[in-house]
Amino acid sequence: MAFTEASTADPSDAQTYTGWSIDAAAKVRGRPNSIALFDSTIAEPVGLLSGLLAGGLTGGLRSRFASVFGSGNPHLIAAIAARYGLAEQSVLTTTGAISGLDLLLDMLVVPGAPVLVERPCFDILPILATRAGAAVRFVDRAHPGYDIDMEQVEQGFAAGAGLLLLTNLHNPTGRHLGDDRLREIAALADRFGALIIVDEVYRGFADPAGCAATLAPNIVTVNSLTKLYGLFSLKCGWVAGDAGLIARLRAHHAHRDLGVSKLAHAVAAEVMADSAAFDAHWRAVLERTRPVLLAHAAAMRADGLIEGEVPPHGCIWFPRLSVPLTGRQVAGHLWQAAGVLPVPGELFGDGRHLRIGFGADAGRLDRGLGLLHALLRGERP
């Protein structure tokens, strides 16, 4: 495969991940047999979800069909609290993790004050922080380990930042921060009276019952059923943290998050109360896809085309390109030449990378990665 000037353009000129994703989804729908390598969730468990809904509100779901007005579905809150070892008053349910994050930032950000955000990052973090009035300051998570730069964090807190925004597992790299590291970060934040907000939508892949909000009172977390279980259709998320902070957020929530669905959160309560089948689903998907990814990653590393190990947990991979091409160039040419589309790393703040999702069909993943390998091998300097 050879590049031309026209074929190296990204298939979307969107500058945000959300805008790019909307364009990319439309392009995939319009091109038969194309392969999306950008999906960042486990494949939707349609059969399991259908089974929950089969009896309608005359079946088992009826017992969890409760009002969500004001305080959320009590069965869902109880199930979340039980899973993570939280007090029920420390949990607020929302229409998704992003909604919970938006609520927190809208309540906590002092306009004009600095807020620390990891980089590379899921760009909704700085977007929401900026929208809330923050002056965003980035904290690097450097290749290859993607650990937190504690010196930068301390400098940011010393400069007046009262919030640090993290993801764990890290989006886009899949790097897992263990509890000891999170406690260390929380202790540093405590010295300056700062809070840490941790997006944990991928954490369940590494630690299904773990929640950073249980580690320190100055950590608040957001989570959802979207990434681990593929249940994006339910729009179910939650915020967990200090009971006093959650009480303030609950009052704030009444005027901001008006779209919580009584039906969707009743279904979510059923899932959270007995998740064994849904846990088996994501594990079975990764048992099929992960060996495929590992084989292709090893082959591309052996050819000197990429750098970086596949993370041990999760369904996303963020390889670093060893060829003199940007993520947008690779994504654009791969799409135009072969109908395969990964996410360019520019959308996470580092154009030397691609982000690839591997939580869906193993056969399509195999074909897509094979075409990526062929493209990169043809362009090796």
Side-chain angles (χ1 to χ4, degrees):
M1 298 182 185
F3 279 91
T4 67
E5 186 65 28
S7 70
T8 56
D10 191 292
S12 167
D13 60 3
Q15 299 304 305
T16 67
Y17 175 71
T18 298
W20 185 93
S21 298
I22 291 169
D23 290 349
K27 289 180 181 299
V28 167
R29 285 195 299 270
R31 184 168 178 172
N33 302 315
S34 59
I35 299 175
L37 293 180
F38 56 80
D39 288 335
S40 59
T41 75
I42 288 294
E44 189 173 18
V46 175
L48 292 175
L49 188 57
S50 297
L52 284 184
L53 297 173
L57 294 180
T58 60
L61 190 58
R62 182 177 183 178
S63 65
R64 305 191 194 279
F65 191 60
S67 174
V68 296
F69 182 73
S71 57
N73 183 301
H75 307 289
L76 176 59
I77 291 170
I80 293 168
R83 171 171 295 194
Y84 299 111
L86 298 160
E88 291 184 20
Q89 60 266 33
S90 295
V91 177
L92 173 69
T93 51
T94 65
T95 54
I98 291 176
S99 178
L101 178 63
D102 189 39
L103 287 167
L104 281 166
L105 292 171
D106 188 69
M107 184 179 78
L108 294 172
V109 167
V110 176
V115 166
L116 306 182
V117 179
E118 65 186 6
R119 182 174 57 191
C121 68
F122 176 39
D123 71 353
I124 200 67
L125 302 182
I127 288 171
L128 293 181
T130 300
R131 191 170 76 183
V136 169
R137 178 171 176 171
F138 289 102
V139 173
D140 291 327
R141 301 187 65 164
H143 173 84
Y146 299 106
D147 197 3
I148 298 294
D149 187 319
M150 296 295 286
E151 183 176 350
Q152 288 186 19
V153 172
E154 183 169 9
Q155 290 171 352
F157 287 148
L163 290 172
L164 168 63
L165 308 186
L166 302 174
T167 55
N168 192 34
L169 308 175
H170 181 214
N171 184 6
T173 71
R175 167 70 149 81
H176 180 222
L177 287 177
D179 286 353
D180 288 346
R181 190 58 156 165
L182 288 167
R183 289 189 185 96
E184 182 183 359
I185 297 168
L188 176 59
D190 188 55
R191 285 172 42 200
F192 295 91
L195 288 173
I196 303 165
I197 299 175
V198 186
D199 178 333
E200 297 193 311
V201 295
Y202 287 104
R203 177 167 177 161
F205 289 108
D207 185 9
C211 175
T214 64
L215 303 178
N218 62 340
I219 298 179
V220 58
T221 66
V222 297
N223 207 335
S224 79
L225 295 181
T226 295
K227 303 300 185 181
L228 183 67
Y229 291 144
L231 291 169
F232 37 84
S233 58
L234 297 183
K235 298 298 292 178
C236 176
W238 57 91
V239 182
D242 173 78
L245 184 147
I246 296 300
R248 289 170 54 205
L249 191 65
R250 187 171 288 112
H252 193 67
H253 167 271
H255 302 284
R256 293 271 302 180
D257 191 15
L258 306 178
V260 174
S261 164
K262 179 179 177 180
L263 177 60
H265 281 213
V267 176
E270 190 82 355
V271 172
M272 289 295 288
D274 184 11
S275 65
F278 292 88
D279 286 315
H281 169 72
W282 70 258
R283 290 191 173 100
V285 169
L286 293 183
E287 283 175 3
R288 295 188 293 269
T289 62
R290 188 173 177 81
V292 172
L293 179 68
L294 288 171
H296 281 283
M300 283 187 272
R301 277 197 307 272
D303 281 348
L305 304 173
I306 62 162
E307 303 171 29
E309 299 294 326
V310 176
H313 309 290
C315 62
I316 54 176
W317 178 42
F318 198 57
R320 184 184 181 105
L321 297 166
S322 299
V323 294
L325 301 166
T326 68
R328 280 194 182 272
Q329 288 173 326
V330 171
H333 186 55
L334 191 59
W335 172 253
Q336 293 186 35
V340 178
L341 192 54
V343 188
E346 286 89 340
L347 296 172
F348 302 96
D350 193 334
R352 294 165 294 180
H353 293 258
L354 300 170
R355 196 191 72 177
I356 291 170
F358 58 98
D361 181 76
R364 295 175 71 80
L365 178 68
D366 187 34
R367 294 194 296 276
L369 292 176
L371 289 164
L372 172 62
H373 190 175
L375 166 73
L376 296 178
R377 188 169 52 228
E379 296 302 325
R380 184 180 181 182

